[in-house]
């Protein structure tokens, strides 16, 4: 059977969150990040289901019952699993759908296929052995209505790829060619693996746009995102004194040279660069590109920078004119070098 990696605006059954706890790196500001997670659950549960992975199911359930309505709680599922950290985008399953889909009713013939790739802490930077087992634990708990395929012989994080839903995958050379990923594979061999495993027709490699403070070696979801109607939302940088300026200018030029599968230029929508945010003199990788698409809404990171936050929200609304555009303060999230999209993984309709 042939499959496709759907675009993220394809109808969803739910979002995975892997809950923070005292044995994760969130310990110094656990209350703040739990407050952010509670707000995410409140928002997401309005539009679709939320599956929460945690080693402390009863404790998290009590917390949410206190903060959420009964209606919202009806949309929350739980899976008990030991975890190293919380970055569901990178340890969550990547879902393929069979090509036999009726796009009017979104009915499909055959099960979705969950790809469980190896997650090794972004090139063995951080412990990941527990997170690497999460997808299999969710499957064994009977929470997925889909087939599961192990791809543990290949390292791939969900934040490293973007799909247009039509067979084009976008990624970055700085991430997929980084140490401790899939060596000794060459770029050409990695491209063939991506095409084979993701049923892709073409791979677009971006070579610029590394955010200072990014632990992932340059995930695509921090700099460029696919949107409907051949649109690309991307991070720009206007400050010539910012050490990132030249790299993001090179990214913009590369995007301007890209063509769609029909050989047309992409519609480019430029997001602002947040003013630098520091934690103990370390610059954090703040980005507006790390938004989460829901059924009928887009959850967007903000950084208490009113002018730039508003510009980013307005730009994202141009790409998603029929969605609710919802801001969420992401200043606590970026203290661990990620943002909203990094903390989440979507599952298409019918999977949960």
């Amino acid at each position: 059977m042939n499959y496709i990696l759907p675009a993220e605006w394809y109808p969803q059954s739910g979002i995975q969150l892997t809950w923070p706890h005292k044995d994760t790196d969130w310990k110094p500001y656990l209350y703040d990040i739990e407050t952010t997670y509670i707000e995410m659950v409140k928002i997401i549960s309005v539009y679709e289901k939320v599956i929460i992975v945690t080693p402390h199911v009863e404790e998290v359930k009590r917390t949410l019952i206190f903060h959420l309505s009964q209606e919202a709680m009806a949309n929350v599922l739980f899976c008990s699993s030991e975890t190293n950290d919380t970055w569901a985008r990178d340890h969550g399953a990547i879902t393929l759908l069979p090509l036999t889909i009726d796009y009017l009713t979104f009915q499909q013939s055959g099960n979705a296929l969950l790809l469980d790739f190896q997650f090794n802490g972004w090139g063995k930077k951080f412990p990941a052995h527990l997170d690497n087992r999460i997808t299999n634990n969710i499957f064994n708990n009977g929470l997925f209505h889909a087939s599961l395929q192990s791809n543990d012989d290949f390292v791939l994080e969900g934040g490293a790829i973007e799909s247009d839903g039509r067979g084009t995958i976008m990624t970055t050379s700085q991430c997929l060619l980084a140490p401790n990923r899939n060596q000794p594979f060459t770029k050409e061999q990695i491209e063939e693996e991506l095409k084979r495993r993701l049923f892709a027709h073409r791979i677009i490699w971006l070579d610029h746009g590394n955010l200072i403070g990014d632990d992932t070696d340059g995930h695509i979801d921090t700099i460029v995102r696919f949107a409907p109607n051949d649109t690309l939302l991307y991070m720009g940088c206007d400050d010539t004194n910012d050490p990132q300026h030249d790299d993001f200018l090179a990214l913009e030029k590369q995007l301007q040279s890209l063509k769609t599968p029909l050989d047309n230029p992409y519609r480019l929508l430029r997001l602002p660069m947040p003013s630098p945010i520091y934690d103990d003199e370390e610059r954090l990788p703040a980005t507006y590109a790390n938004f989460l698409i829901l059924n009928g809404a887009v959850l967007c990171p903000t950084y208490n920078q009113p002018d730039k936050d508003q510009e980013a929200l307005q730009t994202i609304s141009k790409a998603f004119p029929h969605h609710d555009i919802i801001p969420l303060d992401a200043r606590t999230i970026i203290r661990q070098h990620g943002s909203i999209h990094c903390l989440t993984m979507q599952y298409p309709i019918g999977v949960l």
Side-chain angles (χ1 to χ4, degrees):
M1 180 179 289
N2 285 327
Y3 292 87
I4 193 78
L5 178 58
E8 291 188 29
W9 55 90
Y10 183 86
Q12 301 173 6
S13 59
I15 299 291
Q16 177 183 330
L17 293 174
T18 303
W19 205 262
H21 54 82
K22 62 180 177 58
D23 295 319
T24 65
D25 288 341
W26 296 109
K27 182 178 179 179
Y29 24 86
L30 189 57
Y31 174 83
D32 291 339
I33 192 61
E34 281 197 325
T35 300
T36 301
Y37 265 70
I38 292 165
E39 186 64 22
M40 284 196 292
V41 176
K42 284 181 180 178
I43 295 168
I44 296 168
S45 61
V46 171
Y47 298 91
E48 56 198 80
K49 292 187 181 299
V50 184
I51 179 170
I52 293 172
V53 177
T54 173
H56 308 292
V57 168
E58 293 306 317
E59 179 182 329
V60 175
K61 188 179 293 186
R62 286 194 298 271
T63 297
L64 290 177
I65 288 172
F66 180 80
H67 289 281
L68 270 62
S69 67
Q70 287 186 331
E71 183 180 12
M73 284 301 298
N75 258 352
V76 181
L77 308 171
F78 293 90
C79 178
S80 177
S81 183
E82 297 294 324
T83 62
N84 297 109
D85 213 327
T86 56
W87 305 104
R89 178 62 45 182
D90 297 335
H91 59 242
I94 295 171
T95 310
L96 303 184
L97 295 179
L99 277 177
T100 52
I101 300 171
D102 183 335
Y103 282 94
L104 294 177
T105 63
F106 296 105
Q107 297 296 310
Q108 62 195 49
S109 300
N111 279 353
L113 181 62
L114 300 167
L115 304 183
D116 188 10
F117 287 96
Q118 184 185 151
F119 175 60
N120 71 351
W122 309 286
K124 301 181 180 179
K125 295 185 183 73
F126 304 97
H129 61 290
L130 298 175
D131 291 344
N132 196 43
R133 301 171 189 163
I134 288 175
T135 294
N136 200 60
N137 290 342
I138 299 174
F139 183 82
N140 289 337
N141 274 271
L143 294 170
F144 285 138
H145 179 66
S147 301
L148 179 63
Q149 181 187 92
S150 174
N151 283 255
D152 200 49
D153 59 334
F154 193 78
V155 176
L156 184 66
E157 302 112 26
I161 55 173
E162 277 282 309
S163 173
D164 68 351
R166 296 181 297 172
T168 296
I169 302 296
M170 186 177 291
T171 189
T172 66
S173 55
Q174 54 264 38
C175 175
L176 263 64
L177 302 180
N180 299 314
R181 292 306 211 283
N182 288 299
Q183 287 78 14
F185 280 3
T186 64
K187 179 178 179 180
E188 291 73 24
Q189 289 171 323
I190 291 174
E191 178 164 323
E192 287 306 308
E193 289 297 319
L194 291 175
K195 287 180 177 178
R196 179 175 70 84
R197 295 171 191 258
L198 302 177
F199 290 80
H201 304 307
R202 68 173 187 150
I203 309 296
I204 295 176
W205 294 82
L206 299 180
D207 303 309
H208 306 280
N210 268 9
L211 287 171
I212 294 173
D214 178 14
D215 289 329
T216 70
D217 302 308
H219 272 183
I220 187 74
D221 70 345
T222 64
I223 58 169
V224 182
R225 303 290 301 282
F226 274 121
N229 303 313
D230 292 328
T231 298
L232 296 177
L233 284 153
Y234 73 99
M235 293 292 294
C237 184
D238 293 322
D239 182 0
T240 56
N241 294 318
D242 190 323
Q244 302 177 132
H245 175 269
D246 291 350
D247 192 31
F248 277 84
L249 181 61
L251 171 67
E252 185 171 50
K253 290 179 179 178
Q254 187 173 8
L255 294 175
Q256 291 168 346
S257 71
L258 297 180
K259 295 296 180 67
T260 72
L262 296 180
D263 204 36
N264 297 314
Y266 281 98
R267 175 195 182 205
L268 300 179
L269 295 177
R270 191 175 192 260
L271 294 164
M273 180 72 68
S275 299
I277 301 173
Y278 295 90
D279 185 22
D280 291 333
E281 300 184 357
E282 178 185 33
R283 183 166 176 174
L284 301 175
T287 171
Y288 292 110
N290 207 251
F291 53 82
L292 173 67
I293 305 167
L294 303 170
N295 292 330
V298 184
L299 187 53
C300 308
T302 58
Y303 301 99
N304 195 31
Q305 300 179 14
D307 291 344
K308 290 189 175 183
D309 289 349
Q310 188 60 32
E311 181 184 348
L313 295 172
Q314 290 175 346
T315 302
I316 293 170
S317 72
K318 292 177 183 178
F320 297 93
H322 305 299
H323 286 61
D324 300 329
I325 306 299
I326 304 172
L328 180 76
D329 190 332
R331 285 177 294 167
T332 298
I333 306 174
I334 63 165
R335 294 183 72 177
Q336 284 298 322
H337 307 270
S339 200
I340 296 171
H341 192 253
C342 300
L343 290 179
T344 58
M345 175 56 83
Q346 81 285 340
Y347 294 106
I349 192 169
V351 172
L352 289 182

